[in-house]
Amino acid sequence: GQQVMQIPQYQHVQEGEDFTTYCNSSTTLSNIQWYKQRPGGHPVFLIQLVKSGEVKKQKRLTFQFGEAKKNSSLHITATQTTDVGTYFCSPRGGNKLVFGAGTILRVKS
Amino acid sequence: DTGVSQNPRHKITKRGQNVTFRCDPISEHNRLYWYRQTLGQGPEFLTYFQNEAQLEKSRLLSDRFSAERPKGSFSTLEIQRTEQGDSAMYLCASSLPDRTHYGYTFGSGTRLTVV
């Protein structure tokens, strides 16, 4: 099935700083979804990327899908304490989404 | 519909006992998934239903685990003869068909502790 590597595993930023997490695959992905899981919570769907080179924005969050559809990124501008959590990029593997360990984001206020 | 509902929220059981969890998905979602998540890890796929048909089951899932979705609505996950290694958060998710862009909606999970 599809596997992705997400980096960094963990990042601690000062409130107001930017944050980026990268998702890399050795194979071409049909699509990729991003989820956020707050501490003690459950994963919440953020967005799906399907097209090569696609860029989507949600307020301070910018999602990109690489031209070769082998990588993706999530960039958060001017982080806030509400951004804390684990961010997962999840490709589709057959009938289901595959989740890696994600990137843990901590924000110092 | 307020989302995916899972019961119970917490379950503590003694090793060797059987447990059953319930998931009520969003009513118009025909796809239902069970995942397991341990601390510091992402959700691990267990099984998938489309309507009442169980179409995929993880090879990692032992035969102590069984899931049903008898009428294509709610689903149950049963673990027989629980072991300490079964302690985890069990997440249920539902979704519309792939052609939509709405992703999975997860429930709040059932946290199982085997003592």
Side-chain angles (χ1 to χ4, degrees):
Chain A
Q2 300 285 4
Q3 296 291 334
V4 291
M5 178 173 290
Q6 208 170 336
I7 53 172
Q9 290 183 326
Y10 178 88
Q11 189 151 9
H12 202 165
V13 301
Q14 188 72 39
E15 188 175 22
E17 291 181 341
D18 292 356
F19 160 77
T20 304
T21 174
Y22 300 91
C23 183
N24 299 303
S25 171
S26 58
T27 59
T28 301
L29 304 172
S30 58
N31 61 50
I32 197 156
Q33 296 186 3
W34 285 89
Y35 288 78
K36 175 185 178 181
Q37 186 172 21
R38 292 179 183 273
H42 55 275
V44 174
F45 174 70
L46 296 176
I47 210 156
Q48 175 168 277
L49 304 173
V50 179
K51 299 177 183 176
S52 168
E54 190 168 17
V55 178
K56 289 188 176 180
K57 292 189 176 184
Q58 291 179 350
K59 297 183 180 178
R60 296 178 295 104
L61 277 60
T62 302
F63 303 86
Q64 293 190 346
F65 203 8
E67 294 289 343
K69 300 181 74 174
K70 288 186 175 182
N71 56 73
S72 182
S73 65
L74 159 59
H75 179 82
I76 302 178
T77 303
T79 54
Q80 300 175 359
T81 55
T82 53
D83 294 326
V84 299
T86 303
Y87 292 85
F88 296 100
C89 64
S90 303
R92 179 165 296 280
N95 292 314
K96 76 285 185 183
L97 292 179
V98 177
F99 290 83
T103 294
I104 299 170
L105 172 64
R106 292 289 179 259
V107 180
K108 292 180 288 187
S109 60
Chain B
D1 253 348
T2 56
V4 176
S5 176
Q6 290 189 246
N7 289 288
R9 291 294 304 273
H10 304 274
K11 178 70 176 179
I12 300 174
T13 190
K14 291 184 178 179
R15 190 175 51 186
Q17 297 293 306
N18 299 343
V19 294
T20 301
F21 310 141
R22 177 178 170 125
C23 172
D24 287 88
I26 293 174
S27 57
E28 59 265 31
H29 286 185
N30 67 336
R31 299 183 175 203
L32 186 146
Y33 311 83
W34 285 98
Y35 283 81
R36 175 172 62 190
Q37 187 174 27
T38 53
L39 195 62
Q41 302 299 313
E44 174 190 26
F45 171 75
L46 295 179
T47 192
Y48 155 66
F49 289 86
Q50 184 167 311
N51 300 311
E52 67 276 7
Q54 187 175 19
L55 298 185
E56 188 171 345
K57 186 174 176 181
S58 169
R59 285 172 290 178
L60 300 175
L61 211 59
S62 80
D63 55 10
R64 296 184 297 106
F65 288 71
S66 61
E68 294 183 340
R69 195 183 182 194
K71 297 182 180 179
S73 56
F74 74 92
S75 175
T76 57
L77 176 68
E78 181 182 18
I79 309 174
Q80 296 183 327
R81 305 181 302 281
T82 52
E83 301 172 357
Q84 287 190 321
D86 297 332
S87 295
M89 177 71 83
Y90 289 83
L91 293 165
C92 176
S94 67
S95 75
L96 292 166
D98 287 346
R99 63 181 177 274
T100 67
H101 288 204
Y102 295 107
Y104 288 12
T105 301
F106 281 86
S108 297
T110 294
R111 181 168 296 283
L112 173 66
T113 302
V114 181
V115 297

